[in-house]
Amino acid sequence: MVDEYVRRTAVTRLSVRDEQRELLEATIDAYRDGCQIAADIAWPEKKSKRDIHPLAYDSIRNDTELTSQHAILATHQAAEAIASCHERRSKGLKTSKPVFTAPTVTYDTRTMTLFEDDTVSLSTVGGRIRCPLVLPEDDDGYQWQFIENERWEMTESTLTARDGAYYLHMGFRRFRTEREREANQETAEDGTVLGVDVGVNNLAVTSTGLFVSGGELTHWQNEYEKRRGSLQRTGTRWAHENIQSVGRKENGRCTILLHEASNVILEEARENDCTHLAFEDLTDIRERLPHATWHHRWAFRKLFAFVSYKAVEDGITVRQVNPQYTSRKCSYTDCGFTHVDNRDGDSFECLKCGYAIDADYNAAKNIAVKYAKKLRRSHMPSDGGVSVDIPLNSGSLTVEGSTTVVVA
Ligand SMILES: [Zn+2]
């Protein structure tokens, strides 16, 4: 069934004072506990909100400091998690009781109010707090079109803590217009893309600014290479057999590291509600990353394979895009200036607009934009009904029509 609403998410950072920070942290902990209490009680058979609410509400209220409305939202969240477990199971996939670890809290219109002065009031375990939204100064910020336009109404939002900062993923919706309903393409879905750049120093960097270090992997690869080297010099049959055993150990340890890395990337994709994950095409990686050893290239392919097959369970599509210019192109707003000298090792500085940024992060953003544009073209050849969001380190970027709106 087609949703009668168009839904969008606007991401923004919150400005939080120290005493508010404590309340938010306590609320995040309590909410996580609340969701877990509900899931523990309801697992495995109950799955609807209606089933879980009466069972778990009192326990949550007794055992946490959550407000009554947040206790209800926690039961809903547990119900959704359990329902998606049942869905996975019905597809023959493995599933187990949901475990809540993410530092997030769901807000609805009863627990959060957006004011005209661009502040929000949030319900916490210690009463309401009011925080300013950190929005882009210019009116181009894509968030404004939702915040300032009465056609859009707020729905559920998610508060997320990351690296000591707090982000609000504000949910908005508006009714589909007549024309949109007529167009009604099944394929014309909104998408959210996470771009992933792979490399030697950073095994992976995402377009949301998540850095997955390649240090440990490189360390162990060097270590095993050394062991192999000294065994090779020994030259005995015993040494030969040991070289093979070193290879197996290396494989095992590196595979574990790559599994962990793939989990971190997928968690990032889920946290940002991504529908698509874009990697660069790894075919010519040898030419593009001359410093990468065969170990690294093996690791990139393995990482991509892990992410691809794990993403299926989350319904996230994983694709590769042509990496041409992704490392040389400026990813700032409409700049797009492309020059080989923009990049100098780990750092990127645009020769035209001066935009300075980590080189891998710049590439990850370009990979995401490239894929988002491709996605749009494949959905909508003619007009601008579909938008593809790209969440960034702060703010996000929307590819709509032929333009890319960036909020850095
Ligand atoms: Zn530039």
Side-chain angles (χ1 to χ4, degrees), residues 92-309:
L93 297 164
K94 260 198 253 171
T95 170
S96 55
K97 187 174 81 181
V99 177
F100 293 88
T101 54
T104 62
V105 182
T106 303
Y107 279 92
D108 63 1
T109 48
R110 293 195 194 180
T111 44
M112 176 179 129
T113 316
L114 176 64
F115 292 99
E116 277 188 7
D117 62 355
D118 303 323
T119 63
V120 281
S121 142
L122 299 166
S123 162
T124 76
V125 291
R128 287 244 173 187
I129 59 170
R130 192 155 168 175
C131 315
L133 304 176
V134 184
L135 287 159
E137 282 184 19
D138 55 63
D139 289 344
D140 292 339
Y142 79 101
Q143 294 96 335
W144 296 115
Q145 64 185 297
F146 309 117
I147 293 172
E148 295 197 325
N149 190 327
E150 283 172 8
R151 281 173 73 204
W152 292 95
E153 60 168 339
M154 288 212 88
T155 57
E156 281 194 358
S157 302
T158 308
L159 174 82
T160 302
R162 185 202 290 169
D163 301 333
Y166 297 91
Y167 297 91
L168 206 51
H169 293 235
M170 295 183 288
F172 290 91
R173 69 177 188 191
R174 66 164 170 76
F175 276 114
R176 269 181 209 285
T177 63
E178 199 63 47
R179 197 175 64 85
E180 284 165 342
R181 268 198 291 272
E182 277 166 16
N184 190 18
Q185 288 99 333
E186 285 288 332
T187 50
E189 288 165 4
D190 298 329
T192 303
V193 177
L194 187 73
V196 182
D197 179 65
V198 297
V200 175
N201 292 338
N202 297 306
L203 173 62
V205 176
T206 69
S207 48
T208 46
L210 173 80
F211 287 73
V212 183
S213 167
E216 202 176 345
L217 196 70
T218 304
H219 166 80
W220 283 108
Q221 288 174 339
N222 290 341
E223 200 61 26
Y224 287 118
E225 196 65 62
K226 256 188 274 173
R227 287 186 206 173
R228 251 194 302 267
S230 67
L231 287 169
Q232 240 146 20
R233 280 191 295 279
T234 316
T236 62
R237 178 157 22 128
W238 171 84
H240 178 74
E241 279 165 15
N242 263 279
I243 287 176
Q244 290 177 325
S245 129
V246 167
R248 278 193 298 275
K249 279 188 196 146
E250 172 176 18
N251 216 313
R253 188 181 285 268
C254 293
T255 300
I256 292 170
L257 289 173
L258 291 166
H259 267 300
E260 285 170 3
S262 67
N263 291 341
V264 169
I265 291 169
L266 278 168
E267 199 177 308
E268 185 73 3
R270 283 192 292 267
E271 260 183 34
N272 288 283
D273 300 326
C274 291
T275 53
H276 294 76
L277 254 157
F279 279 68
E280 57 195 303
D281 189 330
L282 299 170
T283 313
D284 298 321
I285 196 91
R286 186 194 293 258
E287 284 69 38
R288 278 180 296 114
L289 285 180
H291 302 306
T293 63
W294 68 267
H295 298 278
H296 290 117
R297 294 196 294 272
W298 170 85
F300 301 153
R301 281 195 299 275
K302 199 106 181 159
L303 179 67
F304 177 75
F306 286 165
V307 170
S308 301
Y309 86 71

Side-chain angles (χ1 to χ4, degrees), residues 375-393:
L375 201 61
R376 261 195 59 79
R377 280 198 302 273
S378 67
H379 281 332
M380 288 290 255
S382 54
D383 75 353
V386 186
S387 87
V388 182
D389 287 333
I390 302 168
L392 299 176
N393 188 17

